[in-house]
Amino acid sequence: MNKTIAIALAATAVLATAAPTMAAPRDLGNGTTDFGAFSAISILKEKGYDATRVENYGDDRVLAFVVDDQGNQVLRFFDNDTLAPVTR
């Protein structure tokens, strides 16, 4: 039983230290930022978009799967650097 608890605590410690790293945007220089999928979803949710998934779309866009006000899943495009909404 003690071995199981030790393994569980070790796994929790690893995940607790990895989570902030996954969520932090990375500055790539030249005014560009890599938000990462987890962080991009969080940022879009903070901006009021119910994003469920994001993907890179070309060099300068993020394609987000967003649930709209009627409960439909729709595709929305956002700027890769700022996550501001854009039109195709």
Side-chain angles (χ1 to χ4, degrees):
M1 183 166 159
N2 288 337
K3 184 177 181 181
T4 303
I5 293 172
I7 292 171
L9 288 174
T12 302
V14 168
L15 291 175
T17 58
T21 304
M22 291 188 301
R26 289 186 306 145
D27 183 5
L28 300 178
N30 299 329
T32 59
T33 305
D34 177 14
F35 290 101
F38 178 77
S39 183
I41 289 173
S42 298
I43 293 168
L44 289 172
K45 286 184 180 280
E46 287 176 9
K47 292 183 174 201
Y49 297 97
D50 188 7
T52 58
R53 187 172 116 201
V54 295
E55 298 177 0
N56 287 332
Y57 188 83
D59 292 334
D60 60 347
R61 299 283 183 261
V62 171
L63 172 64
F65 295 77
V66 177
V67 178
D68 67 11
D69 294 336
Q70 291 79 33
N72 301 311
Q73 186 167 0
V74 295
L75 300 178
R76 296 285 185 255
F77 292 92
F78 297 88
D79 181 88
N80 194 42
D81 297 327
T82 64
L83 292 180
V86 297
T87 58
R88 273 183 95 171

